Amino acid sequence: MKLAFWKKKKDPNKPKKPIWREWLDAAVFAIVAATIIRMFFIEAYTIPTGSMEGTLKVNDYLFVSKMAYGARLPNTPLSVPLVHNTMPIFGGKSYSEAVKWGYHRLPGFGKVKRNDIVVFNFPNNDTVVLEDPAQDYYQYVRVQGREQVWNTKTIITRPVDKKENYIKRCVGIPGDKVEIKEGVLYINDKIADLHPHQRIDYLVGGTAQLSADFMEENFIVFKGYTQNKEAVYDMEYSAVDKVKKVAGVTDVKPFSLIPAGNPGPVDYWTFPFDTANFKWNQDNYGSMIVPAKGTTVQLNPQNIALYRRIIRVYENNPGFVEKDNQFFMDGKAITAYTFKMDYYWMMGDNRHGSADSRFWGFVPEDHIVGKASFVWLSYGNGDGNVYNSKGMRWGRIFRTVGNLEN
């Protein structure tokens, strides 16, 4: 028996599409396909700052996997395709808030794991200084005062999915105990994993002065001397053992910019910005527990600074009120709170050059965008950044982030 395959015959009388129509159809298809890929599968991202040096370098172009943790449906579905939050050239919002959706995430390959390099929406970017949109509005207010900021800057607000994208390493997952002692990170009372390209300032004891060639070869930067005439160098963890072998070096240890128990000047204050109850700084921080969904915390005037923003903003409880050292939810007194979402603690590998969770707190699960996957282009920007070489970095192109970490 023969099978008949029917083919629709072309109508010879049907007018042929003009060239412009064919190009328009192709463009619409390409935009729709690219939007679907960007929303549900992968998205391109560029490293704009040195906060992840030297694991990820400025002008590393990488792809971020949305499938790793499950694609997040947009909060603002009415938006210009392939544009994040601001219209190119003309400026202005690229989205409308006429329609708003709640938080929903499709199934993924897994959850955020400790040490994953994660792209997420900057939590503090709900309120934005338009002249400097990637920076922290709340830091502006702490340093300059609210009245000064509002009188001299343009202030806007943004939904979760239109906040600026940040990239950091997840060092603390829900339920982890996080603490930093003298620049050393501890997770659950154990020294956290040390990554080869992780950077921090080190105090180098002894009489040796590292040569310019040695420093260039090992991406080391001389920072200056302490009051005790000890040399301070910014270097990767992988360079520490090499420095220890230099003749005349007696010791190499992390250097704290601010001593323990001193929060430092206001522009150095760390989360939760309550210097009466939390005398923490970026090198001497905690300890505290990263909130986990379903866990309950007892509230008191001494710890409320840690959880205030979670309760009121991230978990959308505008009825949460503090009065006379008591707490009320929609008019009813409460003494405890149960978290509705998981939270994460993010830090940059360049520990003295990163605005991370130490300076703005927890990252809610609904802010997670995806996992850094691989670098598809990398070049030095030639702007004087001591960590970056000029020209193409051929050794980084088409390498996974996991390989670049080693």
Side-chain angles (χ1 to χ4, degrees):
M1 181 176 68
K2 294 183 179 180
L3 296 177
F5 292 92
W6 296 96
K7 183 178 180 181
K8 186 177 180 180
K9 295 182 179 180
K10 293 183 179 181
D11 184 355
N13 298 319
K14 185 177 181 180
K16 185 179 180 181
K17 288 183 181 180
I19 294 296
W20 68 266
R21 177 64 185 277
E22 292 182 2
W23 278 100
L24 178 62
D25 289 348
V28 170
F29 175 80
I31 291 172
V32 171
T35 299
I36 292 173
I37 292 171
R38 182 174 182 264
M39 183 180 298
F40 296 106
F41 297 98
I42 58 173
E43 182 176 358
Y45 183 82
T46 308
I47 302 298
T49 71
S51 69
M52 283 298 294
E53 298 280 358
T55 306
L56 296 174
K57 298 177 180 291
V58 175
N59 285 345
D60 273 350
Y61 289 73
L62 53 85
F63 281 121
V64 175
S65 170
K66 301 289 186 72
M67 298 181 293
Y69 311 128
R72 183 186 58 179
L73 299 183
N75 303 116
T76 50
L78 301 180
S79 61
V80 177
L82 309 181
V83 178
H84 183 47
N85 54 33
T86 304
M87 290 297 295
I89 303 175
F90 304 106
K93 291 183 178 180
S94 63
Y95 57 93
S96 168
E97 295 185 69
V99 177
K100 295 182 180 181
W101 292 348
Y103 168 57
H104 299 284
R105 188 181 294 275
L106 300 178
F109 294 140
K111 292 187 176 182
V112 178
K113 297 182 179 64
R114 199 180 297 121
N115 294 320
D116 281 358
I117 296 180
V118 181
V119 171
F120 55 93
N121 296 118
F122 177 31
N124 275 12
N125 208 224
D126 54 344
T127 308
V128 180
V129 176
L130 198 57
E131 290 81 0
D132 200 2
Q135 299 305 313
D136 189 343
Y137 158 81
Y138 300 98
Q139 176 72 351
Y140 267 103
V141 170
R142 280 190 296 273
V143 175
Q144 299 182 21
R146 188 178 187 279
E147 184 176 350
Q148 171 70 13
V149 172
W150 278 75
N151 287 340
T152 60
K153 305 292 184 181
T154 305
I155 308 300
I156 63 171
T157 59
R158 284 178 177 163
V160 170
D161 62 333
K162 296 305 179 183
K163 296 179 179 181
E164 294 292 332
N165 289 325
Y166 270 32
I167 184 167
K168 308 288 179 188
R169 185 182 298 277
C170 177
V171 299
I173 59 176
D176 276 351
K177 177 183 178 182
V178 176
E179 187 172 12
I180 304 173
K181 302 177 184 178
E182 299 297 325
V184 179
L185 174 65
Y186 291 78
I187 301 295
N188 300 325
D189 297 317
K190 298 180 180 178
I191 294 178
D193 292 341
L194 295 166
H195 308 282
H197 301 298
Q198 176 181 309
R199 301 192 71 89
I200 199 170
D201 290 351
Y202 286 89
L203 200 65
V204 177
T207 59
Q209 184 172 358
L210 305 183
S211 69
D213 288 343
F214 180 84
M215 289 193 292
E216 182 177 359
E217 180 182 349
N218 293 285
F219 304 103
I220 298 173
V221 182
F222 175 66
K223 300 296 289 289
Y225 293 98
T226 67
Q227 292 180 345
N228 297 326
K229 304 300 182 182
E230 296 173 298
V232 178
Y233 293 89
D234 174 21
M235 70 179 83
E236 296 181 354
Y237 174 67
S238 59
V240 171
D241 284 341
K242 298 177 183 178
V243 174
K244 287 181 178 179
K245 296 176 182 179
V246 174
V249 172
T250 58
D251 189 25
V252 180
K253 60 183 180 181
F255 173 69
S256 297
L257 296 176
I258 304 174
N262 182 358
V266 64
D267 52 336
Y268 276 83
W269 282 3
T270 55
F271 175 82
F273 314 108
D274 177 357
T275 56
N277 294 299
F278 302 93
K279 299 184 184 297
W280 299 347
N281 60 59
Q282 64 175 329
D283 291 323
N284 297 278
Y285 193 97
S287 63
M288 58 82 195
I289 304 297
V290 181
K293 181 179 180 179
T295 60
T296 300
V297 62
Q298 297 298 313
L299 303 178
N300 58 61
Q302 288 71 45
N303 71 5
I304 189 59
L306 280 171
Y307 310 116
R308 181 182 292 118
R309 185 168 173 81
I310 286 179
I311 298 172
R312 186 174 294 150
V313 179
Y314 300 149
E315 303 201 346
N316 193 27
N317 292 297
F320 177 72
V321 176
E322 303 168 52
K323 185 178 180 180
D324 300 328
N325 290 330
Q326 291 183 298
F327 310 101
F328 301 86
M329 186 72 76
D330 299 324
K332 182 181 178 180
I334 62 171
T335 59
Y337 182 80
T338 301
F339 301 109
K340 301 174 185 176
M341 286 193 292
D342 281 330
Y343 291 83
Y344 301 90
W345 195 257
M346 307 288 186
M347 292 180 66
D349 282 2
N350 187 357
R351 294 291 164 79
H352 283 161
S354 174
D356 51 36
S357 283
R358 292 170 294 177
F359 298 97
W360 34 256
F362 307 109
V363 176
E365 67 174 67
D366 67 345
H367 283 55
I368 300 296
V369 174
K371 181 179 180 181
S373 181
F374 70 93
V375 172
W376 60 273
L377 177 66
S378 181
Y379 64 89
N381 54 13
D383 63 356
N385 188 322
V386 293
Y387 308 129
N388 294 304
S389 58
K390 297 181 181 180
M392 295 295 293
R393 306 186 191 109
W394 297 106
R396 302 182 65 81
I397 297 176
F398 294 116
R399 294 190 62 190
T400 66
V401 171
N403 285 333
L404 292 174
E405 289 181 284
N406 300 319

PDB file of all heavy atoms in Angstrom, residues 125-148:
ATOM      1  N   ASN A 125      17.996  47.683  45.215  1.00  0.00           N
ATOM      2  CA  ASN A 125      17.719  48.490  44.031  1.00  0.00           C
ATOM      3  C   ASN A 125      16.234  48.737  43.803  1.00  0.00           C
ATOM      4  O   ASN A 125      15.815  49.113  42.720  1.00  0.00           O
ATOM      5  CB  ASN A 125      18.333  47.822  42.803  1.00  0.00           C
ATOM      6  CG  ASN A 125      18.700  48.787  41.701  1.00  0.00           C
ATOM      7  OD1 ASN A 125      18.425  48.524  40.546  1.00  0.00           O
ATOM      8  ND2 ASN A 125      19.319  49.907  42.019  1.00  0.00           N
ATOM      9  N   ASP A 126      15.421  48.535  44.860  1.00  0.00           N
ATOM     10  CA  ASP A 126      14.002  48.861  44.734  1.00  0.00           C
ATOM     11  C   ASP A 126      13.801  50.370  44.646  1.00  0.00           C
ATOM     12  O   ASP A 126      12.843  50.851  44.028  1.00  0.00           O
ATOM     13  CB  ASP A 126      13.196  48.286  45.896  1.00  0.00           C
ATOM     14  CG  ASP A 126      13.748  48.692  47.257  1.00  0.00           C
ATOM     15  OD1 ASP A 126      14.894  49.151  47.337  1.00  0.00           O
ATOM     16  OD2 ASP A 126      13.015  48.520  48.251  1.00  0.00           O
ATOM     17  N   THR A 127      14.704  51.113  45.286  1.00  0.00           N
ATOM     18  CA  THR A 127      14.727  52.569  45.171  1.00  0.00           C
ATOM     19  C   THR A 127      16.046  52.950  44.524  1.00  0.00           C
ATOM     20  O   THR A 127      17.103  52.450  44.925  1.00  0.00           O
ATOM     21  CB  THR A 127      14.586  53.244  46.544  1.00  0.00           C
ATOM     22  OG1 THR A 127      13.434  52.703  47.212  1.00  0.00           O
ATOM     23  CG2 THR A 127      14.431  54.743  46.415  1.00  0.00           C
ATOM     24  N   VAL A 128      15.999  53.844  43.530  1.00  0.00           N
ATOM     25  CA  VAL A 128      17.154  54.053  42.657  1.00  0.00           C
ATOM     26  C   VAL A 128      17.464  55.539  42.514  1.00  0.00           C
ATOM     27  O   VAL A 128      16.565  56.358  42.312  1.00  0.00           O
ATOM     28  CB  VAL A 128      16.885  53.465  41.257  1.00  0.00           C
ATOM     29  CG1 VAL A 128      18.083  53.672  40.331  1.00  0.00           C
ATOM     30  CG2 VAL A 128      16.522  51.988  41.352  1.00  0.00           C
ATOM     31  N   VAL A 129      18.761  55.864  42.629  1.00  0.00           N
ATOM     32  CA  VAL A 129      19.251  57.185  42.237  1.00  0.00           C
ATOM     33  C   VAL A 129      19.510  57.109  40.740  1.00  0.00           C
ATOM     34  O   VAL A 129      20.443  56.438  40.304  1.00  0.00           O
ATOM     35  CB  VAL A 129      20.534  57.562  43.008  1.00  0.00           C
ATOM     36  CG1 VAL A 129      21.087  58.896  42.505  1.00  0.00           C
ATOM     37  CG2 VAL A 129      20.261  57.623  44.503  1.00  0.00           C
ATOM     38  N   LEU A 130      18.671  57.764  39.962  1.00  0.00           N
ATOM     39  CA  LEU A 130      18.704  57.583  38.509  1.00  0.00           C
ATOM     40  C   LEU A 130      20.048  57.983  37.905  1.00  0.00           C
ATOM     41  O   LEU A 130      20.476  57.422  36.901  1.00  0.00           O
ATOM     42  CB  LEU A 130      17.582  58.392  37.860  1.00  0.00           C
ATOM     43  CG  LEU A 130      17.190  58.003  36.431  1.00  0.00           C
ATOM     44  CD1 LEU A 130      16.796  56.532  36.361  1.00  0.00           C
ATOM     45  CD2 LEU A 130      16.066  58.870  35.922  1.00  0.00           C
ATOM     46  N   GLU A 131      20.726  58.942  38.518  1.00  0.00           N
ATOM     47  CA  GLU A 131      22.021  59.371  38.007  1.00  0.00           C
ATOM     48  C   GLU A 131      23.112  58.318  38.232  1.00  0.00           C
ATOM     49  O   GLU A 131      24.175  58.381  37.620  1.00  0.00           O
ATOM     50  CB  GLU A 131      22.442  60.692  38.661  1.00  0.00           C
ATOM     51  CG  GLU A 131      21.626  61.903  38.248  1.00  0.00           C
ATOM     52  CD  GLU A 131      20.296  62.013  38.996  1.00  0.00           C
ATOM     53  OE1 GLU A 131      20.006  61.133  39.843  1.00  0.00           O
ATOM     54  OE2 GLU A 131      19.548  62.963  38.745  1.00  0.00           O
ATOM     55  N   ASP A 132      22.866  57.352  39.125  1.00  0.00           N
ATOM     56  CA  ASP A 132      23.853  56.320  39.446  1.00  0.00           C
ATOM     57  C   ASP A 132      23.098  55.027  39.767  1.00  0.00           C
ATOM     58  O   ASP A 132      23.113  54.543  40.893  1.00  0.00           O
ATOM     59  CB  ASP A 132      24.697  56.767  40.639  1.00  0.00           C
ATOM     60  CG  ASP A 132      26.012  56.010  40.743  1.00  0.00           C
ATOM     61  OD1 ASP A 132      26.279  55.160  39.871  1.00  0.00           O
ATOM     62  OD2 ASP A 132      26.763  56.271  41.693  1.00  0.00           O
ATOM     63  N   PRO A 133      22.401  54.443  38.767  1.00  0.00           N
ATOM     64  CA  PRO A 133      21.408  53.406  39.034  1.00  0.00           C
ATOM     65  C   PRO A 133      21.941  52.102  39.607  1.00  0.00           C
ATOM     66  O   PRO A 133      21.194  51.369  40.252  1.00  0.00           O
ATOM     67  CB  PRO A 133      20.770  53.176  37.655  1.00  0.00           C
ATOM     68  CG  PRO A 133      21.789  53.636  36.670  1.00  0.00           C
ATOM     69  CD  PRO A 133      22.499  54.777  37.336  1.00  0.00           C
ATOM     70  N   ALA A 134      23.212  51.791  39.378  1.00  0.00           N
ATOM     71  CA  ALA A 134      23.742  50.519  39.866  1.00  0.00           C
ATOM     72  C   ALA A 134      24.178  50.588  41.321  1.00  0.00           C
ATOM     73  O   ALA A 134      24.461  49.560  41.941  1.00  0.00           O
ATOM     74  CB  ALA A 134      24.925  50.074  39.006  1.00  0.00           C
ATOM     75  N   GLN A 135      24.240  51.798  41.888  1.00  0.00           N
ATOM     76  CA  GLN A 135      24.708  51.962  43.248  1.00  0.00           C
ATOM     77  C   GLN A 135      23.562  51.873  44.254  1.00  0.00           C
ATOM     78  O   GLN A 135      22.387  51.829  43.896  1.00  0.00           O
ATOM     79  CB  GLN A 135      25.459  53.289  43.389  1.00  0.00           C
ATOM     80  CG  GLN A 135      26.688  53.387  42.509  1.00  0.00           C
ATOM     81  CD  GLN A 135      27.664  52.242  42.724  1.00  0.00           C
ATOM     82  OE1 GLN A 135      27.990  51.894  43.857  1.00  0.00           O
ATOM     83  NE2 GLN A 135      28.126  51.638  41.635  1.00  0.00           N
ATOM     84  N   ASP A 136      23.917  51.879  45.523  1.00  0.00           N
ATOM     85  CA  ASP A 136      22.966  51.660  46.606  1.00  0.00           C
ATOM     86  C   ASP A 136      22.346  52.977  47.056  1.00  0.00           C
ATOM     87  O   ASP A 136      23.021  53.825  47.648  1.00  0.00           O
ATOM     88  CB  ASP A 136      23.692  50.969  47.772  1.00  0.00           C
ATOM     89  CG  ASP A 136      22.755  50.496  48.856  1.00  0.00           C
ATOM     90  OD1 ASP A 136      21.598  50.949  48.901  1.00  0.00           O
ATOM     91  OD2 ASP A 136      23.192  49.664  49.676  1.00  0.00           O
ATOM     92  N   TYR A 137      21.044  53.139  46.804  1.00  0.00           N
ATOM     93  CA  TYR A 137      20.332  54.351  47.233  1.00  0.00           C
ATOM     94  C   TYR A 137      20.453  54.559  48.747  1.00  0.00           C
ATOM     95  O   TYR A 137      20.649  55.674  49.222  1.00  0.00           O
ATOM     96  CB  TYR A 137      18.859  54.238  46.828  1.00  0.00           C
ATOM     97  CG  TYR A 137      17.936  55.114  47.645  1.00  0.00           C
ATOM     98  CD1 TYR A 137      17.790  56.468  47.359  1.00  0.00           C
ATOM     99  CD2 TYR A 137      17.206  54.581  48.709  1.00  0.00           C
ATOM    100  CE1 TYR A 137      16.944  57.268  48.116  1.00  0.00           C
ATOM    101  CE2 TYR A 137      16.356  55.374  49.469  1.00  0.00           C
ATOM    102  CZ  TYR A 137      16.239  56.716  49.166  1.00  0.00           C
ATOM    103  OH  TYR A 137      15.402  57.507  49.919  1.00  0.00           O
ATOM    104  N   TYR A 138      20.338  53.481  49.500  1.00  0.00           N
ATOM    105  CA  TYR A 138      20.339  53.589  50.959  1.00  0.00           C
ATOM    106  C   TYR A 138      21.711  54.031  51.486  1.00  0.00           C
ATOM    107  O   TYR A 138      21.804  54.710  52.505  1.00  0.00           O
ATOM    108  CB  TYR A 138      19.906  52.265  51.580  1.00  0.00           C
ATOM    109  CG  TYR A 138      18.518  51.866  51.132  1.00  0.00           C
ATOM    110  CD1 TYR A 138      18.333  50.962  50.087  1.00  0.00           C
ATOM    111  CD2 TYR A 138      17.393  52.430  51.711  1.00  0.00           C
ATOM    112  CE1 TYR A 138      17.069  50.614  49.647  1.00  0.00           C
ATOM    113  CE2 TYR A 138      16.113  52.089  51.283  1.00  0.00           C
ATOM    114  CZ  TYR A 138      15.954  51.189  50.243  1.00  0.00           C
ATOM    115  OH  TYR A 138      14.694  50.861  49.801  1.00  0.00           O
ATOM    116  N   GLN A 139      22.767  53.652  50.767  1.00  0.00           N
ATOM    117  CA  GLN A 139      24.097  54.131  51.132  1.00  0.00           C
ATOM    118  C   GLN A 139      24.206  55.633  50.877  1.00  0.00           C
ATOM    119  O   GLN A 139      24.794  56.369  51.674  1.00  0.00           O
ATOM    120  CB  GLN A 139      25.167  53.373  50.337  1.00  0.00           C
ATOM    121  CG  GLN A 139      26.596  53.849  50.555  1.00  0.00           C
ATOM    122  CD  GLN A 139      27.146  53.470  51.927  1.00  0.00           C
ATOM    123  OE1 GLN A 139      26.424  52.987  52.790  1.00  0.00           O
ATOM    124  NE2 GLN A 139      28.427  53.716  52.135  1.00  0.00           N
ATOM    125  N   TYR A 140      23.637  56.084  49.770  1.00  0.00           N
ATOM    126  CA  TYR A 140      23.591  57.523  49.498  1.00  0.00           C
ATOM    127  C   TYR A 140      22.938  58.253  50.670  1.00  0.00           C
ATOM    128  O   TYR A 140      23.431  59.279  51.148  1.00  0.00           O
ATOM    129  CB  TYR A 140      22.775  57.794  48.231  1.00  0.00           C
ATOM    130  CG  TYR A 140      23.580  57.882  46.957  1.00  0.00           C
ATOM    131  CD1 TYR A 140      23.613  56.828  46.065  1.00  0.00           C
ATOM    132  CD2 TYR A 140      24.289  59.036  46.639  1.00  0.00           C
ATOM    133  CE1 TYR A 140      24.337  56.900  44.880  1.00  0.00           C
ATOM    134  CE2 TYR A 140      25.016  59.130  45.456  1.00  0.00           C
ATOM    135  CZ  TYR A 140      25.029  58.058  44.583  1.00  0.00           C
ATOM    136  OH  TYR A 140      25.752  58.149  43.426  1.00  0.00           O
ATOM    137  N   VAL A 141      21.819  57.734  51.140  1.00  0.00           N
ATOM    138  CA  VAL A 141      21.066  58.393  52.211  1.00  0.00           C
ATOM    139  C   VAL A 141      21.847  58.383  53.519  1.00  0.00           C
ATOM    140  O   VAL A 141      21.861  59.378  54.250  1.00  0.00           O
ATOM    141  CB  VAL A 141      19.690  57.716  52.386  1.00  0.00           C
ATOM    142  CG1 VAL A 141      18.989  58.218  53.643  1.00  0.00           C
ATOM    143  CG2 VAL A 141      18.819  57.968  51.163  1.00  0.00           C
ATOM    144  N   ARG A 142      22.507  57.263  53.813  1.00  0.00           N
ATOM    145  CA  ARG A 142      23.289  57.196  55.058  1.00  0.00           C
ATOM    146  C   ARG A 142      24.411  58.220  55.057  1.00  0.00           C
ATOM    147  O   ARG A 142      24.704  58.839  56.085  1.00  0.00           O
ATOM    148  CB  ARG A 142      23.867  55.784  55.247  1.00  0.00           C
ATOM    149  CG  ARG A 142      22.895  54.781  55.808  1.00  0.00           C
ATOM    150  CD  ARG A 142      23.592  53.494  56.199  1.00  0.00           C
ATOM    151  NE  ARG A 142      24.178  52.820  55.054  1.00  0.00           N
ATOM    152  CZ  ARG A 142      23.528  51.960  54.280  1.00  0.00           C
ATOM    153  NH1 ARG A 142      22.257  51.697  54.515  1.00  0.00           N
ATOM    154  NH2 ARG A 142      24.131  51.369  53.276  1.00  0.00           N
ATOM    155  N   VAL A 143      25.074  58.376  53.935  1.00  0.00           N
ATOM    156  CA  VAL A 143      26.238  59.254  53.864  1.00  0.00           C
ATOM    157  C   VAL A 143      25.839  60.722  53.702  1.00  0.00           C
ATOM    158  O   VAL A 143      26.366  61.606  54.375  1.00  0.00           O
ATOM    159  CB  VAL A 143      27.173  58.820  52.706  1.00  0.00           C
ATOM    160  CG1 VAL A 143      28.325  59.806  52.550  1.00  0.00           C
ATOM    161  CG2 VAL A 143      27.713  57.412  52.958  1.00  0.00           C
ATOM    162  N   GLN A 144      24.866  60.992  52.819  1.00  0.00           N
ATOM    163  CA  GLN A 144      24.528  62.376  52.481  1.00  0.00           C
ATOM    164  C   GLN A 144      23.292  62.903  53.208  1.00  0.00           C
ATOM    165  O   GLN A 144      23.089  64.119  53.277  1.00  0.00           O
ATOM    166  CB  GLN A 144      24.312  62.503  50.969  1.00  0.00           C
ATOM    167  CG  GLN A 144      25.533  62.154  50.144  1.00  0.00           C
ATOM    168  CD  GLN A 144      25.296  62.342  48.652  1.00  0.00           C
ATOM    169  OE1 GLN A 144      24.399  63.075  48.231  1.00  0.00           O
ATOM    170  NE2 GLN A 144      26.096  61.675  47.837  1.00  0.00           N
ATOM    171  N   GLY A 145      22.449  62.005  53.714  1.00  0.00           N
ATOM    172  CA  GLY A 145      21.199  62.421  54.316  1.00  0.00           C
ATOM    173  C   GLY A 145      20.076  62.372  53.300  1.00  0.00           C
ATOM    174  O   GLY A 145      20.256  62.719  52.129  1.00  0.00           O
ATOM    175  N   ARG A 146      18.879  61.974  53.752  1.00  0.00           N
ATOM    176  CA  ARG A 146      17.764  61.780  52.830  1.00  0.00           C
ATOM    177  C   ARG A 146      17.364  63.085  52.133  1.00  0.00           C
ATOM    178  O   ARG A 146      17.108  63.110  50.928  1.00  0.00           O
ATOM    179  CB  ARG A 146      16.560  61.211  53.581  1.00  0.00           C
ATOM    180  CG  ARG A 146      15.415  60.793  52.655  1.00  0.00           C
ATOM    181  CD  ARG A 146      14.269  60.191  53.450  1.00  0.00           C
ATOM    182  NE  ARG A 146      13.249  59.631  52.566  1.00  0.00           N
ATOM    183  CZ  ARG A 146      12.304  60.324  51.962  1.00  0.00           C
ATOM    184  NH1 ARG A 146      12.243  61.648  52.143  1.00  0.00           N
ATOM    185  NH2 ARG A 146      11.416  59.736  51.185  1.00  0.00           N
ATOM    186  N   GLU A 147      17.308  64.162  52.885  1.00  0.00           N
ATOM    187  CA  GLU A 147      16.879  65.430  52.302  1.00  0.00           C
ATOM    188  C   GLU A 147      17.823  65.879  51.192  1.00  0.00           C
ATOM    189  O   GLU A 147      17.379  66.319  50.122  1.00  0.00           O
ATOM    190  CB  GLU A 147      16.800  66.504  53.393  1.00  0.00           C
ATOM    191  CG  GLU A 147      16.261  67.842  52.900  1.00  0.00           C
ATOM    192  CD  GLU A 147      16.091  68.851  54.014  1.00  0.00           C
ATOM    193  OE1 GLU A 147      16.209  68.463  55.188  1.00  0.00           O
ATOM    194  OE2 GLU A 147      15.849  70.034  53.704  1.00  0.00           O
ATOM    195  N   GLN A 148      19.132  65.738  51.425  1.00  0.00           N
ATOM    196  CA  GLN A 148      20.113  66.128  50.425  1.00  0.00           C
ATOM    197  C   GLN A 148      19.969  65.291  49.160  1.00  0.00           C
ATOM    198  O   GLN A 148      19.998  65.818  48.037  1.00  0.00           O
ATOM    199  CB  GLN A 148      21.532  65.977  50.999  1.00  0.00           C
ATOM    200  CG  GLN A 148      22.670  66.133  50.002  1.00  0.00           C
ATOM    201  CD  GLN A 148      22.832  67.554  49.498  1.00  0.00           C
ATOM    202  OE1 GLN A 148      22.243  68.483  50.065  1.00  0.00           O
ATOM    203  NE2 GLN A 148      23.614  67.725  48.454  1.00  0.00           N
TER     204      GLN A 148
END
